[in-house]
Amino acid sequence: MTAVSFTRQDLIQDEQGNWFHLPTLRALYATGRLACGSAGHVLLLQYEALNRPRMIS
């Protein structure tokens, strides 16, 4: 993995109060190194689903 810039907007917090770095989660997911069902995986999927454009008919 490569170093990335770090901003407050890149952080998300889970229900237990743990902080996760979104660019790191995305990089781990892209390389297949984020365990399915892990706290980071679930949080990343929830974040991406909430921030996905929605179609309104």
Side-chain angles (χ1 to χ4, degrees), residues 1-56:
M1 291 180 57
T2 58
V4 296
S5 62
F6 186 88
T7 65
R8 187 91 170 117
Q9 291 137 339
D10 290 336
L11 296 175
I12 53 175
Q13 192 173 19
D14 69 3
E15 295 172 353
Q16 288 79 31
N18 300 312
W19 290 96
F20 292 84
H21 185 237
L22 281 169
T24 301
L25 290 177
R26 288 185 186 115
L28 290 170
Y29 181 78
T31 59
R33 298 180 66 201
L34 190 61
C36 187
S38 67
H41 181 255
V42 171
L43 195 58
L44 180 62
L45 293 179
Q46 290 173 347
Y47 177 83
E48 296 297 333
L50 290 173
N51 292 300
R52 181 177 305 141
R54 297 183 187 141
M55 298 199 56
I56 301 173

